[in-house]
Structures are given as C-alpha cells and as structure tokens.
Amino acid sequence: MSQSMRITDHPILGADEPKKKVTIYYEGTPIEANEGEPIAIALANAGIRTLYVTEKMNKPRGIFCGQGRCGSCRMIVDGVPDVKTCSTPVKDGMRVQVQHGLA
Amino acid sequence: MKELEREILIIGAGPAGISAAIEAAKAGAKVTVADEHDTIGGQLYKQIHKFFGAADNHAGMRGFEIARKLEQEAKELGVEFWLNTVAYGIFKEGVGIVRDGDNFIVKAKKVIVAAGGIENTTAFPGSTLPGVMLAGAAQTMTNIHRVLPGKRMVVVGSGNVGLIVAYQMLQAGAEVLAVVERDDHIGGYGVHAEKIRTAGVPILTDTIIKCASGKTSVEGVTTVKLGADGAEIAGSEQEFNADTVIMAVGMAPLTELLWNIGCRFEFIGELGGYVPVHNEFMQTSVDGIYAAGDITGVEEASVAMEEGCIAGIAAASACGHISAEECSARCASHIDALAVLESGEYDGERSAARAKKLELYKASEK
Ligand SMILES: Cc1cc2nc3c(=O)[nH]c(=O)nc-3n(C[C@H](O)[C@H](O)[C@H](O)COP(=O)(O)OP(=O)(O)OC[C@H]3O[C@@H](n4cnc5c(N)ncnc54)[C@H](O)[C@@H]3O)c2cc1C
C-alpha cells in the first residue's frame, strides 16, 4: 500500500477540502500529513501499519480500537514512549519511532 | 489535589449525555459535560448514515448531523463542555478527572454517567496483525479522517454495525470481499443487509475466520464453515485476498465507573452483559448517581436520548430546580417514548429487561 489512502471524493461527505500540510518523520523518513490529524492516520495514509512491536515475541501491532483505549498504537514520539498515536495530532517536524515493548 | 465545584457533572458527550445536559439546563441547572474525546457526539460523530428510530429523536438525519444539532442546542443553553477530559473514577470525595494533563476532583451535587459502550473483540490466528481492527476504528478513519484502512476488506459480524460499516467502506471506495457471520442468520436489519447484497457483497452465515495471514500486516484471510454441531467443516475453507479485517462483534456497556462507586448490577444478556439497575428516573442504586444511554444496556441512539432527558430532568429536580411533580410531568413523555421504542417486533426482550432493572432497583431499596 504505497499510494495515498486518502478518500478524495465521497458520495456523502463530498470532495475533500485541501488541508494545510505538515511534515513528520517516521524512523527518519519524511511523511506528509494533514495538519491536526492523528499521527497513526498520517502513517496509515502513507501505507505504514506497524506502530508497535511486542517485547517477547516481536509481533507487530497497528491501529486496533482507534479511540485511545487499547494501546496497540503506542509509539515513541519526540523521544517520549507510550504515546497513543491514534488520538495524538501531528505537529510539524514531529519524530515518530516504532516502540518495542515497554520502551 | 485541585478541587472544582459543579452542580451537575455529566460524563460522556454522546446522545445520552448531551440530551441530559439539555434537559437539566432547561430546568435551570448549571451543567458541565466531560468527554475524553476532542469532539462532541460520542458514537454519532462517526456515523454518516441516516438513523433509524423515532422522528422525535431525529430519525432520518445522519448521525453526525444529530450530534451537531444537539451540541448547538446545549451550547445555546449555556452548557459547559470539557473535552479531552477523562473521568477515571467516582469516589466519595468526588469525580476524579484528568484534564489537560492535570488531575482534579470534581465535587458535583449530582453525577450522570453516560459513558456509552465498548466494542467486543474476537480472536483467531492472526487477529493481532496490523490491518485487523474494530469497526469503530475503521469508521473513524474513513468517515472522520478520510483515510481508507485498506483496499480489500472482510467484515466479521452481520449485526447492524457490521452491515453499516461494510456499506460505509464501499461508499469510501474500498472493496468488501465478504461479511462473515457465525450464526445461521444475519443479525442486523434487512434494509442494511439488502444494501450491501445489492452491491454484490456476499454475507456468509455459519462462517468464521479460520485465520488471517501476513508477515507484518494482513495479506490474506481464510474462512471456514461451521456445521450444526458448531465444529469446522473440513474442506469448506475459502481464501480471500484481503488486506484488512474489520471486527463488528457487538458491544458491551462501559460500566467501570459505576462498579467503582458501588452501583448494583444485574447480568442481562440481551443488553450486552452486566448493567446497572436503576429506577424510572434513571437513578442507580447509589444516591445522586444517574446513568443513561448504552451504559444501561446497549440499544440505540433514540433510547439513549430519551434516557438522557429523563436523567437530566431528574438530576435537576434533585438539585431543587423543579418540584417532584414537575419532574414527573416532564419525564412522562420520555418514559412513554421508551415504552414505544422497546415495544417493536424484536424488542419485547428489551422492555422485559427494563422492567427487570426497575424491579431489582426496588428490591435493593428495601
Ligand atoms: C456503526 C453504528 C451504527 C449505529 N446506527 C444507529 C442507528 O442507525 N440508529 C440508532 O438509533 N442508533 C445507532 N447506533 C447506536 C448509537 O450510536 C448508540 O446507541 C448511541 O450513540 C449511544 O449513546 P450514548 O450517549 O449512550 O453513548 P456514546 O455515543 O458511546 O457516547 C459516550 C461518550 O462517553 C465518552 N466517555 C466514555 N467513558 C468516559 C470517561 N471515563 N471519561 C470521559 N468520557 C468518557 C466517550 O468518549 C463517548 O464520547 C449505531 C452505533 C454504531 C456503532
């Protein structure tokens, strides 16, 4: 899933209004994001699904509940671990890293 | 710890919480609504379909439109909203909340808990892979943030949520390869099933996901049929070239806050599990603590709104804004509406469940 996953046109919601863009860095790679959208959404749009890796078994985890309850989207954001990226908005220049275990 | 004083504190800004706020404010109370999300409307906020239910409860409007309308009405009445605010416990001292990273105890005269429900999950080999997600997450991605969770989906569960989510994925431009249902019949309404069938999506009953496979995220899904004995039928496997699995396997009331303060509960399967017993004014077995909406049993937005109205009126009355007679008079139409909503062809169980909660409340009073 490399091309954008954005829904540009929608039968009920209409055409997507252009949003202000910001840049975040995923493991150092620049990713374009819409201002104010959650980190995990910007990554999903770029085709990135693995946000967290379990400590013992090294199993990947991604967005699961999408509302800040399950913790499967925890990442290291600007050096801070355990940030729930499904409900934390992007900021220009933000650095996000996959979190391994309890970090 | 910092303390705040409020007259009525409502936890949850879904249809139940906002309806409670509107009625309590109309009766003259000062009302604050706290919600952990940054938007008002609860489940409604991510719904883009036209709602079923009674016209009085805005049926025919789309979910997010109902949310906007309720929000506007509440704000015009001076209701205070605290967003990004989590209530983490109800204690003798007050309600513990975290707001902007700061910890507070809110001393409120009355508390209405309208925390809604939480989605159930199901497990199968591969169910922890990225690309497997709950219906709520898929809806938030597509309907709010306008990013597709994947391109080819399999939906687990044919209740209304599963059927609606499948249709919403089609609307958003994804392919839905199948809806699987472990029961021998479709769980949701015929109208919703028809919409996705017409679009060519098979609804496979007596079927479960055997496994989802993939290295770092879903790359394929295998389903299998179940026999009358519930065992997998060998050779009935079907492969789907899916990159996403959406789980819609029911919801349960989100009741921790009420357990924590010692409310009496009863297990009522039709309502989604353990539910707090309450009187006809939606007061729980703990004095001054009211409950409304999906937290009292997972039902529908119309029921949540009616219960919210009742709880709001009753809490305002208990604060002395209106007399007991006036309270009963104002609640009457909402109590009648609940009886109508729960009297449909499929709903006999729900009215029986409500009667049971009221009866147990009475018993707990003695
Ligand atoms: C896909 C789908 C389709 C639906 N379609 C229909 C339909 O067509 N017609 C219909 O009538 N109903 C429909 N429903 C059901 C309806 O949305 C719910 O019954 C209704 O939203 C319940 O309202 P509520 O206020 O009780 O809870 P919710 O809407 O769930 O709101 C609860 C709120 O409380 C907040 N909260 C929870 N805990 C805390 C806490 N500790 N601190 C702070 N805030 C907290 C949550 O963030 C949430 O915003 C649908 C539901 C789904 C999922």
Side-chain angles (χ1 to χ4, degrees):
Chain A
M1 264 172 276
S2 47
Q3 70 267 57
S4 166
M5 299 296 282
R6 287 218 196 273
I7 302 160
T8 47
D9 205 12
H10 191 288
I12 291 172
L13 301 171
D16 201 9
E17 290 156 27
K19 307 258 166 36
K20 202 180 156 220
K21 301 289 178 193
V22 300
T23 304
I24 62 170
Y25 296 87
Y26 167 80
E27 303 287 347
T29 309
I31 306 262
E32 190 185 70
N34 279 347
E35 188 171 49
E37 73 186 352
I39 299 165
I41 296 292
L43 297 179
N45 179 47
I48 296 161
R49 287 180 139 188
T50 298
L51 310 176
Y52 180 87
V53 174
T54 62
E55 185 151 14
K56 282 192 193 157
M57 311 287 278
N58 271 307
K59 299 277 192 202
R61 295 283 189 272
I63 295 178
F64 184 68
C65 82
Q67 51 180 331
R69 293 224 169 96
C70 73
S72 118
C73 66
R74 279 170 294 163
M75 298 184 82
I76 302 172
V77 176
D78 286 336
V80 179
D82 288 335
V83 175
K84 294 178 189 169
T85 57
C86 76
S87 42
T88 305
V90 293
K91 284 205 191 83
D92 197 33
M94 213 174 219
R95 295 183 176 274
V96 302
Q97 289 164 270
V98 172
Q99 179 171 332
H100 291 259
L102 299 175
Chain B
M1 203 180 295
K2 280 172 251 178
E3 288 186 359
L4 294 169
E5 280 186 22
R6 287 296 181 272
E7 188 171 30
I8 296 179
L9 177 67
I10 300 176
I11 302 167
I18 318 178
S19 301
I22 290 171
E23 288 304 318
K26 277 191 198 157
K30 286 216 155 39
V31 188
T32 301
V33 185
D35 197 291
E36 62 190 349
H37 287 110
D38 59 0
T39 46
I40 295 172
Q43 288 290 338
L44 296 185
Y45 184 68
K46 49 184 184 253
Q47 301 307 331
I48 57 171
H49 65 284
K50 292 185 176 159
F51 268 48
F52 52 79
D56 291 352
N57 304 113
H58 320 287
M61 282 172 79
R62 300 186 191 280
F64 66 95
E65 296 169 342
I66 304 175
R68 257 188 233 148
K69 188 158 181 278
L70 292 173
E71 170 178 355
Q72 193 189 346
E73 196 178 346
K75 284 188 170 161
E76 278 164 9
L77 288 162
V79 171
E80 175 184 35
F81 282 96
W82 287 344
L83 299 182
N84 293 311
T85 302
V86 182
Y88 62 83
I90 307 178
F91 313 102
K92 282 201 294 294
E93 295 74 19
V95 179
I97 63 162
V98 174
R99 187 166 149 65
D100 295 331
D102 235 349
N103 209 334
F104 298 93
I105 286 287
V106 186
K107 293 195 173 294
K109 289 198 182 115
K110 304 290 164 200
V111 176
I112 301 173
V113 188
I118 184 160
E119 294 174 85
N120 296 335
T121 63
T122 180
F124 45 82
S127 61
T128 59
L129 276 172
V132 179
M133 68 185 73
L134 295 174
Q139 287 190 318
T140 303
M141 291 182 76
T142 48
N143 299 345
I144 298 174
H145 302 300
R146 302 185 59 134
V147 166
L148 271 179
K151 301 216 154 125
R152 295 174 308 278
M153 337 222 153
V154 171
V155 175
V156 188
S158 73
N160 281 323
V161 173
L163 297 175
I164 289 169
V165 111
Y167 191 65
Q168 292 178 346
M169 293 306 126
L170 294 172
Q171 286 179 314
E175 246 183 284
V176 179
L177 307 179
V179 174
V180 302
E181 167 60 58
R182 88 169 287 145
D183 246 332
D184 63 2
H185 61 277
I186 295 170
Y189 293 154
V191 279
H192 294 311
E194 225 29 66
K195 271 186 177 170
I196 62 166
R197 272 218 191 105
T198 311
V201 178
I203 305 176
L204 311 173
T205 51
D206 286 315
T207 303
I208 59 168
I209 291 194
K210 190 178 170 88
C211 66
S213 53
K215 205 165 166 293
T216 57
S217 81
V218 178
E219 289 166 26
V221 168
T222 308
T223 63
V224 65
K225 280 208 147 306
L226 301 179
D229 58 353
E232 295 180 9
I233 301 175
S236 69
E237 287 83 0
Q238 231 181 307
E239 306 285 336
F240 291 94
N241 175 24
D243 60 18
T244 303
V245 177
I246 299 176
M247 285 183 193
V249 292
M251 295 190 39
L254 186 57
T255 50
E256 286 98 331
L257 291 169
L258 296 178
W259 283 107
N260 153 244
I261 186 69
C263 290
R264 223 192 126 203
F265 276 82
E266 178 69 14
F267 187 90
I268 304 183
E270 305 87 67
L271 294 181
Y274 278 95
V275 290
V277 307
H278 55 74
N279 66 11
E280 61 176 341
F281 297 111
M282 304 312 298
Q283 183 175 276
T284 67
S285 61
V286 176
D287 196 38
I289 308 283
Y290 298 77
D294 277 356
I295 191 173
T296 70
V298 174
E299 296 188 64
E300 58 188 273
S302 314
V303 170
M305 289 186 246
E306 298 294 357
E307 288 191 346
C309 292
I310 296 168
I313 294 166
S317 172
C319 289
H321 291 287
I322 53 174
S323 67
E325 292 74 46
E326 178 63 17
C327 170
S328 294
R330 287 192 190 193
C331 286
S333 65
H334 302 291
I335 292 174
D336 290 347
L338 282 176
V340 173
L341 284 167
E342 293 174 348
S343 66
E345 191 186 338
Y346 303 102
D347 303 331
E349 283 174 351
R350 294 196 293 156
S351 51
R354 182 171 301 275
K356 189 167 178 191
K357 288 188 288 180
L358 298 183
E359 205 176 286
L360 286 163
Y361 175 90
K362 275 210 190 100
S364 71
E365 266 188 321
K366 285 183 195 127

